[in-house]
Amino acid sequence: MKNKITLEIIWWFITAIIVVLFLIPIYSNIGKDYPFYFSNILMIIIFVTFSRYIFQLKHTWLARNKWVKAVLIFVMIPIFFWVTDSIYNFQNHVEKDGFATMMIHMNPDEAMNLSKYIRYQYIFFGTSTWIVLILFPIRLLISIWREINTDKV
């Protein structure tokens, strides 16, 4: 169990590094004016964590917790709708307002490149999170079935 906790801490540290690496260009150029920090950070965390759980479930704290896995299956539904709403709000903001008001102080070429970066990384993590939120409950169901019928994870 100690190894699982150590591995979990290492992965949370790696996840934090990934979040910082993807959002530092936005923060260093726009600062606090970017309205999607919370949803962007949460989608990156969900994507990395649940992807890890999909492929390495037997090495996590979740491996032998049937009831937690069963609850998580149903928790994925509201998270999926929240991600859908967040992506819709982001797309709506990009189409209506764009990022031009936040990037007035920047060179037009740099502003264009940064706005492309923001859009591509947000859409990437949003759609990746969608996919993970569909696959993770399936993986949990398979794990519960295996645990009940064959005593494997």
Side-chain angles (χ1 to χ4, degrees):
M1 186 67 175
K2 186 177 179 178
N3 290 337
K4 290 182 180 183
I5 293 172
T6 305
L7 188 62
E8 191 73 24
I9 291 170
I10 290 169
W11 270 107
W12 277 102
F13 182 71
I14 291 170
T15 303
I17 290 171
I18 292 169
V19 167
V20 168
L21 287 176
F22 274 98
L23 294 182
I24 203 141
I26 300 169
Y27 187 77
S28 64
N29 288 304
I30 296 177
K32 296 178 182 176
D33 294 333
Y34 180 63
F36 300 102
Y37 280 121
F38 177 75
S39 60
N40 208 187
I41 290 169
L42 210 52
M43 282 193 271
I44 295 171
I45 291 171
I46 291 170
F47 170 67
V48 172
T49 304
F50 290 172
S51 296
R52 178 171 54 93
Y53 287 168
I54 287 171
F55 295 107
Q56 298 178 339
L57 188 61
K58 68 180 176 180
H59 303 294
T60 65
W61 61 273
L62 193 56
R64 298 280 177 188
N65 293 324
K66 281 187 280 195
W67 294 108
V68 175
K69 288 188 274 191
V71 168
L72 277 176
I73 290 170
F74 294 104
V75 169
M76 296 304 119
I77 297 167
I79 295 174
F80 183 85
F81 287 123
W82 174 80
V83 169
T84 304
D85 188 50
S86 295
I87 292 173
Y88 173 77
N89 289 338
F90 178 80
Q91 290 284 67
N92 193 30
H93 178 78
V94 168
E95 290 173 5
K96 281 187 177 178
D97 304 329
F99 295 110
T101 57
M102 292 182 259
M103 299 182 201
I104 290 175
H105 64 283
M106 295 177 66
N107 177 344
D109 290 335
E110 289 177 358
M112 180 62 76
N113 288 336
L114 183 63
S115 64
K116 284 181 183 178
Y117 172 78
I118 291 170
R119 185 168 185 201
Y120 292 157
Q121 70 88 20
Y122 195 93
I123 297 299
F124 170 77
F125 283 111
T127 55
S128 300
T129 303
W130 266 344
I131 293 167
V132 166
L133 288 172
I134 292 169
L135 294 177
F136 188 52
I138 295 169
R139 175 65 173 106
L140 292 176
L141 278 172
I142 292 169
S143 176
I144 292 170
W145 184 86
R146 284 181 183 164
E147 192 174 347
I148 291 171
N149 294 317
T150 63
D151 202 34
K152 293 181 184 177
V153 179

